[in-house]
Amino acid sequence: MQRTARLALLLLSLCLGGCSTTVFESLPTGTTTDCDPAWPGRWEPVGTADDPMKPQGVVEIAPDCRSATTKGETKPIRLTLIDTRAGQYLQLHNDSGKPDCIGPGNTRCGAALLRYERDGDTMRLYDADHAWIAAAIKAKKIDGYSMRPDTKGLKTKEPTYNNFIAGNPDRIAKLLRKYPALFVREPLMVLRRVPVDAASAQPTPPATDGNWHDVSCRGPDRRGRPARWPAERVGRYR
C-alpha cells in the first residue's frame, strides 16, 4: 500500500508495501485529532530490540502536521490519533484518502492502525500482530476475514497476512480492551525529539561594567577612541 503518511516518510524509511496488513472496519470509539501538539518538530529514529541499528535521517513535522521533511524533501502527510480507554492508536491514511481494502475485489475496507505511546520526547509505535490476528479470526475469536496474499518474488522473512477485523466503533474499542495481543509487545519504531540546535538560540547581550558604556551614535573622541558615557548619563538618554 502506498501511503503519503506511511512510516517511510513521517517515521523514516519503514516500508509497509509487501508486508502484512490488518485493517479495522471502524475506528474505535474515542477522541481524535489530526495534529497532536507534541508532533511538530524534528524527530530522529532510534534502534529497537529487533532492529538495534540506528536508522539514518531526521524527519521534521510542520507546525500544522500537514507535511513532513526528510533528507531535504517535503511531502504532505495525514495522520489521525485516536485516544481510547484501551490506549492511543495512530491511523495511517493512504494517498487517495480512501479506506484501505483487502480481499478479492478489495471489498473489505477499513483503517490501518498502530498502537501509539508517547513519554515526554519519545514516541513508540507498535505494529499489529498480524499472525496472531489471523489465527484469532480462524478460531472465530474475532469476527473478520484473513487471507495469505501471493508474495511470489518478494523477499519476506515471515509469512504475510492480509486481515480484516469487522465491527462498529464500540465493537472495535471493546476488542482493543479485551485483546492486548492485537498488537506486538516490542515497538516497531522509536522516535526521539531532536534538541533545538544551540546555534539557533537567541544570543545573550553582553554584560556591561556598570560604569561606562559605548554609545554607537557618537563619534570618536579627540584621540580617536570610541566615545563613552557614564552609566548614570546613559540612563537619561534611553
Side-chain angles (χ1 to χ4, degrees):
M1 296 181 185
Q2 297 296 316
R3 302 173 189 277
T4 301
R6 65 183 173 179
L7 297 181
L9 173 64
L10 176 66
L11 307 173
L12 305 183
S13 304
L14 192 60
C15 174
L16 293 181
C19 302
S20 293
T21 300
T22 294
V23 296
F24 295 77
E25 184 177 14
S26 309
L27 292 182
T29 302
T31 59
T32 63
T33 179
D34 289 340
C35 190
D36 187 280
W39 289 347
R42 302 176 72 226
W43 297 86
E44 183 177 33
V46 297
T48 65
D50 292 336
D51 185 11
M53 289 190 64
K54 183 177 179 181
Q56 299 298 313
V58 171
V59 62
E60 183 169 1
I61 303 176
D64 61 358
C65 304
R66 302 301 292 177
S67 65
T69 301
T70 183
K71 297 182 179 178
E73 186 176 6
T74 300
K75 291 184 178 181
I77 60 171
R78 188 187 171 199
L79 301 171
T80 296
L81 180 65
I82 309 103
D83 192 357
T84 78
R85 290 173 56 191
Q88 293 185 315
Y89 301 88
L90 196 65
Q91 179 187 7
L92 309 178
H93 298 266
N94 61 39
D95 290 344
S96 67
K98 298 178 180 179
D100 292 314
C101 301
I102 68 164
N106 289 330
T107 56
R108 295 173 172 85
C109 301
L113 298 178
L114 297 174
R115 188 165 69 84
Y116 171 91
E117 292 179 349
R118 185 177 68 83
D119 181 12
D121 289 335
T122 301
M123 292 192 292
R124 294 179 178 84
L125 299 171
Y126 301 81
D127 198 12
D129 191 332
H130 307 287
W132 186 93
I133 292 170
I137 291 173
K138 183 177 180 180
K140 301 190 181 302
K141 292 174 60 176
I142 293 176
D143 186 18
Y145 170 85
S146 181
M147 64 173 288
R148 296 284 302 276
D150 183 6
T151 57
K152 186 177 181 180
L154 296 176
K155 295 182 179 180
T156 56
K157 296 181 180 179
E158 298 179 356
T160 301
Y161 303 91
N162 282 352
N163 301 318
F164 169 79
I165 298 179
N168 60 25
D170 288 343
R171 174 63 178 167
I172 297 299
K174 183 177 180 180
L175 288 174
L176 293 174
R177 293 194 302 270
K178 185 176 181 180
Y179 297 115
L182 284 165
F183 292 87
V184 297
R185 299 181 64 179
E186 292 295 327
L188 179 68
M189 177 165 284
V190 179
L191 290 166
R192 186 170 298 150
R193 187 182 298 278
V194 177
V196 177
D197 192 336
S200 65
Q202 292 294 326
T204 302
T208 63
D209 58 10
N211 295 312
W212 296 89
H213 300 265
D214 290 341
V215 181
S216 60
C217 61
R218 294 187 61 192
D221 63 11
R222 294 179 181 178
R223 297 183 182 181
R225 297 175 301 183
R228 298 190 297 171
W229 284 351
E232 61 269 17
R233 293 190 60 190
V234 171
R236 301 179 194 173
Y237 294 91
R238 286 178 180 169

